[in-house]
Amino acid sequence: MLVLEYLPVLLVAVSLGQSAVLDKVQPEQVHLSYTGDPLSMTVTWTTFAPTPSVVKYSTVPGPLLFNISAYGNATQFVDGGFMKRKMFIHRVTLKNLTPTQRYVYHCGSDFGWSPQFYFRAMQTGSSWGPRLAVFGDMGNENAQSLPRLQKETQMDMYDVILHVGDFAYDLDKDNAQIGDKFMRQVESVAAYLPYMTCPGNHEEAYNFSNYRNRFSMPGTTEGLWYSWNLGPAHIISLSTEVYFFINYGKELLAEQYRWLQKDLEEANKPSNRLERPWIITMGHRPMYCSNFDKDDCLQHDTVVRTGIFGGQYGLEDLFYKYGVDLEIWAHEHSYERLWPVYNYTGCNERLDPFFPLHREWSALRIEDYGYTRIHIANKTHIHLQQVSDDQNGEIVDDFWLIKDKR
């Protein structure tokens, strides 16, 4: 029945000789995402006409047999722009993978297949050291760090990518055609590594519809918030945008906060915290920053930190109560590392005097284009490095987080 259903698309294309019609069934914008289960991986891609959703893959090294098949489904996404462009987002989850095994795959259907890509299945358990590349606010026109990330991906330097909000500037722009261009660009990284995301303010259009449809994150909230375990860490992705775009429903803010509280309670059960002592959060807009750009973090009582509606749903007290170890933010177009801080009180040991505009809780500020490497080395040590693309890959910040107590 599938062949009969989709055959007319191919017949029309052949009979009219229209390559544009053929292009509609060709897979593109391929990217991976981690499901939270080390034995599975989700492959997501786009076509512009309905086709079956198939991934064929095999282990490497070895002959390229593509002898394992997995099947999924596609959902139609209609962009909110005036052209109402239609696209079909395909999702297939590969299951029963062998930990640390490398696989080669391609996706699509007999109407058209993607190029072949590779990935490595995750390790199981908590006794290994995940390696992450982290960045936010990457545009379509000035993705300056992307070539370096492409090279390092092919060098097998990372296990996961974290993109902390703001994609393409913007996914919905030009009737979502900018979103298509961006997803094609990052395919060179995201088709090889799990590309884990959270929403930023630039995803807001049409109730975050481009973000919610294009990415496939764990959980049931269309990637707005979710959590997953990675080695000795429990990682929480959240939406700071529910604090700012209340027009899409105040209940989203309350729902996320209740979910966060429950998730942190579960992560802090003694057996869970012993197994995964690191709790890491990622969200787009920061609680603290020293950028003087008229943004929210210029305010003393930032919305994300202290909450809204008279102080409801603030994250700082919640994260402090449950011992969050590392918070990753984006939004401000610079790199800033903070000393440990709570309620504007922090540790400033070995802190050299700063220019008066610096805050005492701000340890280092760098304005180069770049990205962060995080190596969760073990249950007591995390190694972080800031890479400057402006300085040809120089490490401009290098430090360790050491957990000797909560």
Side-chain angles (χ1 to χ4, degrees):
M1 292 182 66
L2 284 175
V3 174
L4 291 175
E5 180 180 356
Y6 297 112
L7 189 57
V9 176
L10 187 59
L11 287 176
V12 169
V14 173
S15 63
L16 296 179
Q18 295 177 338
S19 61
V21 178
L22 282 172
D23 287 344
K24 290 186 175 182
V25 297
Q26 182 65 33
E28 61 174 62
Q29 307 174 40
V30 181
H31 54 285
L32 300 174
S33 55
Y34 187 40
T35 67
D37 174 6
L39 305 183
S40 66
M41 190 78 73
T42 296
V43 185
T44 305
W45 70 93
T46 298
T47 61
F48 296 94
T51 65
S53 306
V54 186
V55 174
K56 291 185 178 290
Y57 60 107
S58 56
T59 58
V60 290
L64 298 181
L65 300 175
F66 295 109
N67 57 331
I68 312 171
S69 298
Y71 302 88
N73 52 59
T75 56
Q76 180 177 283
F77 168 49
V78 181
D79 174 62
F82 74 89
M83 290 177 61
K84 304 300 179 186
R85 292 180 66 239
K86 295 180 181 179
M87 60 190 77
F88 296 84
I89 311 296
H90 301 257
R91 293 176 174 87
V92 176
T93 298
L94 315 184
K95 300 179 179 179
N96 300 316
L97 302 174
T98 301
T100 73
Q101 174 67 54
R102 286 179 62 84
Y103 293 89
V104 59
Y105 75 97
H106 64 181
C107 58
S109 70
D110 287 340
F111 298 109
W113 293 97
S114 73
Q116 63 187 39
F117 302 105
Y118 299 84
F119 72 89
R120 186 189 302 277
M122 289 290 184
Q123 294 191 45
T124 55
S126 59
S127 299
W128 65 286
R131 304 158 303 161
L132 301 85
V134 182
F135 53 84
D137 304 78
M138 180 179 282
N140 176 63
E141 293 185 1
N142 191 27
Q144 181 175 317
S145 298
L146 187 57
R148 194 172 304 279
L149 286 164
Q150 292 167 342
K151 177 183 176 181
E152 293 177 350
T153 295
Q154 297 303 318
M155 292 170 62
D156 199 23
M157 288 181 58
Y158 305 112
D159 300 295
V160 175
I161 299 287
L162 303 184
H163 188 148
V164 194
D166 278 9
F167 307 81
Y169 293 105
D170 297 324
L171 291 171
D172 66 285
K173 190 176 178 180
D174 193 13
N175 293 280
Q177 293 181 92
I178 294 298
D180 293 336
K181 291 179 181 179
F182 177 80
M183 297 304 294
R184 294 181 193 118
Q185 273 187 305
V186 298
E187 182 183 80
S188 57
V189 170
Y192 298 91
L193 291 171
Y195 199 84
M196 309 303 288
T197 63
C198 71
N201 56 295
H202 278 271
E203 283 68 73
E204 177 267 338
Y206 320 122
N207 195 6
F208 297 84
S209 62
N210 268 270
Y211 172 82
R212 291 188 290 109
N213 281 275
R214 289 179 183 271
F215 297 105
S216 307
M217 296 298 110
T220 59
T221 63
E222 297 179 304
L224 296 179
W225 59 83
Y226 59 94
S227 66
W228 47 298
N229 294 324
L230 184 70
H234 180 69
I235 301 177
I236 299 171
S237 174
L238 60 101
S239 171
T240 56
E241 305 317 299
V242 294
Y243 290 83
F244 295 89
F245 296 103
I246 303 298
N247 51 306
Y248 292 130
K250 293 184 291 186
E251 63 276 3
L252 274 178
L253 173 55
E255 184 181 347
Q256 175 178 261
Y257 190 86
R258 288 191 297 267
W259 175 89
L260 268 172
Q261 189 167 27
K262 184 177 179 180
D263 188 83
L264 286 165
E265 287 174 354
E266 183 69 22
N268 270 280
K269 289 182 177 178
S271 59
N272 291 334
R273 198 73 196 244
L274 183 65
E275 181 74 8
R276 292 185 169 85
W278 295 108
I279 296 180
I280 300 171
T281 63
M282 57 183 275
H284 186 62
R285 302 198 206 201
M287 293 188 204
Y288 294 90
C289 74
S290 60
N291 301 75
F292 285 78
D293 55 4
K294 299 181 181 180
D295 214 333
D296 180 60
C297 67
L298 183 60
Q299 308 301 318
H300 184 275
D301 292 332
T302 59
V303 169
V304 174
R305 186 177 79 86
T306 61
I308 58 177
F309 307 136
Q312 296 184 62
Y313 311 120
L315 293 182
E316 184 173 48
D317 285 342
L318 185 69
F319 287 178
Y320 182 77
K321 176 180 178 180
Y322 290 105
V324 171
D325 299 287
L326 174 63
E327 298 169 11
I328 302 168
W329 310 97
H331 190 59
E332 304 298 330
H333 294 185
S334 60
Y335 170 81
E336 183 167 22
R337 170 165 57 88
L338 275 58
W339 298 109
V341 59
Y342 171 70
N343 195 25
Y344 284 92
T345 301
C347 166
N348 60 358
E349 297 175 1
R350 299 181 302 280
L351 178 61
D352 295 328
F354 275 135
F355 185 75
L357 288 180
H358 283 80
R359 309 295 179 86
E360 64 177 8
W361 36 261
S362 178
L364 181 66
R365 300 194 307 179
I366 298 170
E367 292 187 299
D368 292 0
Y369 283 102
Y371 52 94
T372 305
R373 296 174 183 153
I374 299 179
H375 179 205
I376 309 171
N378 52 45
K379 294 184 179 182
T380 58
H381 289 69
I382 295 180
H383 187 205
L384 297 97
Q385 295 179 312
Q386 181 65 15
V387 180
S388 168
D389 193 73
D390 286 343
Q391 299 183 45
N392 197 33
E394 286 293 314
I395 305 300
V396 291
D397 192 20
D398 190 319
F399 66 100
W400 288 83
L401 286 182
I402 301 174
K403 178 186 283 291
D404 55 357
K405 60 182 180 180
R406 172 171 164 174

